[in-house]
Amino acid sequence: MTSRHRFQCVNRNVLLIAAIVSLVMPVRGEDVSADAKRMYLVDGQVVDADSGDPIKSFRVLPGTPYRGDGNAVAVWQPHMIREMTDGVFRWPRTRGYKEMRFRVEADGFRPATTNWLGVGGPYMRLKVHLRRDPGIRVIVLTPEGSPATDATIAIGLPNRGIRLDGCRVDGVGEPESSRLSDQWRRPETVQTDADGQCVVPAESDPNATLCVVHPDGYLEMPFSKFTELASQAPLPLELKPWGRIRGKVLWKDKPGVGERVTATIHRQQGYPGIVSAYPSAIADSRGEYLLPYIPPGQVQVGHAVQLPEGTSLSPTAVVYEYPIFHVDVQAGQTVNVDIGGKGIEVIGKLAGVESFDDVTIAIQPPAPDVFAWVKFGNPGGGNDLRQGFAALRGSEYAPLYFRGSLPVADDGSFRIEDVMTGNFNLIVSGSASASASFKATSFGQDPIDLGTIQVKPQPPAEAKVSEDG
């Protein structure tokens, strides 16, 4: 860890910050009125660390804790951002969260962050010393080594995520909102010049992520790693080639013309979704599709089930997807993902009963976990999932996915032909019962062998006795 990233502590009462270049300290030795203590949680000053002059205009916003990996990550709340002037930093006691910390930032200065505190107090008088930021000069190079002109460098934070739109950062070059909260939600970005150079502002948030986006390539790294590398000027940033995902939508022998294939990129640097992208493509007349600008890493690929026209969905509805695959895309690699496909053979054997005369099997996609969706705060989403699954069952290709009354040989072996890609549940019914699950993918043509599945005898249904005995 470099000196720029060590926490600084003056004494046990000093509030910690995320970078040594700015300092938040308590103010002592001044009388404070009882009214001020009742009114304010924080009553302080924000000054230029070099001159001591009050910062003319600065912004303050709280962050709430997210403990995804056990450590508290500050998730910034831009809807509560406030612009303050003349170095006066006052935050009312009635506004905020049970647990929070503050981010103090000003144009041309390095941001500072207080330690964790709460609306309940205690009352604090603080002095925030912000240092001017000369920035870090970089030169962005394409995978071939030439300067990358007009590349975008973006800095993402929790709740200030970077959303990719193809080979660009979403929102760059678009008109800015007049609302301060909306302005803050956009990631900070800079563009390289004709020589591939620019100056990147400093960032103190330990969960910040740096992205470099250009038609020729992509780069993503924790901002802390970026600053550790910044020992030379200009710092070379070498882009890696984009990945690609391609494949076919094929319902055995019929191309899935017009079907939509989606990709979900959701990267996490301490907090989920600091970098995200949701590209999609429509299958052509041969059922083929291509997703060209895929940042290297883990990607979810799914087929968007077409819902009937006029379907009523909740405002936060997510298009129902099936099947879904997770693939690892390397830089410059093209990964093939087929939806449906020509079909693959699934084999296996049942064991545990003496006779399989009255035993059949069925396969079908697993029903969506509606209760989990509702549990995570989207009650309407449960109904959306039900409608999506119903649309899948009603699709023209549904008979390829929902297969029932499949025979079992006398020795318990079974063979299912033309299985499409996706996750499946296998159900044994009749005089024996069991269940299993498996996945079929587009990678390889060898049969999928489920091995031996143990079944249990199913008690025969009680015979109905007539009134005549």
Side-chain angles (χ1 to χ4, degrees), residues 27-247:
V27 176
R28 302 184 183 281
E30 296 182 14
D31 293 332
V32 179
S33 69
D35 287 342
K37 288 184 177 181
R38 282 193 299 268
M39 185 176 300
Y40 299 114
L41 173 67
V42 175
D43 184 5
Q45 300 173 305
V46 178
V47 301
D48 185 321
D50 295 324
S51 66
D53 295 334
I55 302 292
K56 201 163 190 63
S57 177
F58 60 97
R59 299 169 295 278
V60 178
L61 73 163
T64 55
Y66 167 81
R67 292 181 172 86
D69 58 359
N71 298 317
V73 172
V75 182
W76 305 112
Q77 305 297 322
H79 67 286
M80 296 185 70
I81 192 169
R82 288 191 169 196
E83 192 164 23
M84 303 183 184
T85 58
D86 299 326
V88 179
F89 174 13
R90 283 177 172 168
W91 193 270
R93 186 175 292 281
T94 56
R95 186 167 173 81
Y97 300 89
K98 182 178 179 181
E99 188 178 4
M100 59 183 173
R101 71 194 317 173
F102 290 104
R103 175 182 171 93
V104 183
E105 58 184 34
D107 294 340
F109 290 84
R110 303 172 191 244
T113 306
T114 71
N115 73 334
W116 293 103
L117 53 133
V119 159
Y123 169 86
M124 293 185 180
R125 288 188 53 82
L126 304 175
K127 195 166 189 178
V128 182
H129 302 259
L130 296 184
R131 288 203 177 277
R132 293 191 176 273
D133 176 28
I136 301 171
R137 177 160 289 278
V138 302
I139 178 170
V140 179
L141 303 174
T142 68
E144 290 74 33
S146 58
T149 302
D150 206 28
T152 300
I153 299 179
I155 304 169
L157 306 176
N159 257 4
R160 197 185 204 177
I162 302 166
R163 181 160 179 170
L164 304 177
D165 180 11
C167 59
R168 58 184 293 272
V169 174
D170 189 37
V172 172
E174 297 178 4
E176 195 169 55
S177 170
S178 59
R179 296 180 58 181
L180 183 60
S181 59
D182 292 338
Q183 294 172 17
W184 194 92
R185 283 186 177 91
R186 280 193 183 185
E188 190 160 12
T189 60
V190 291
Q191 305 290 124
T192 60
D193 59 20
D195 297 321
Q197 297 193 39
C198 67
V199 176
V200 179
E203 177 50 60
S204 61
D205 192 316
N207 301 289
T209 295
L210 179 100
C211 280
V212 188
V213 184
H214 186 268
D216 289 342
Y218 177 80
L219 179 65
E220 176 187 320
M221 70 171 69
F223 199 92
S224 57
K225 180 180 178 181
F226 165 69
T227 54
E228 288 174 3
L229 297 173
S231 58
Q232 62 182 101
L235 171 67
L237 297 176
E238 299 178 5
L239 300 177
K240 300 294 183 182
W242 293 95
R244 304 198 312 168
I245 297 174
R246 68 184 312 159

Side-chain angles (χ1 to χ4, degrees), residues 245-266:
I245 297 174
R246 68 184 312 159
K248 276 189 175 184
V249 182
L250 186 66
W251 310 126
K252 188 178 176 181
D253 53 7
K254 182 179 179 181
V257 180
E259 298 286 348
R260 182 181 295 275
V261 179
T262 63
T264 301
I265 293 101
H266 215 241

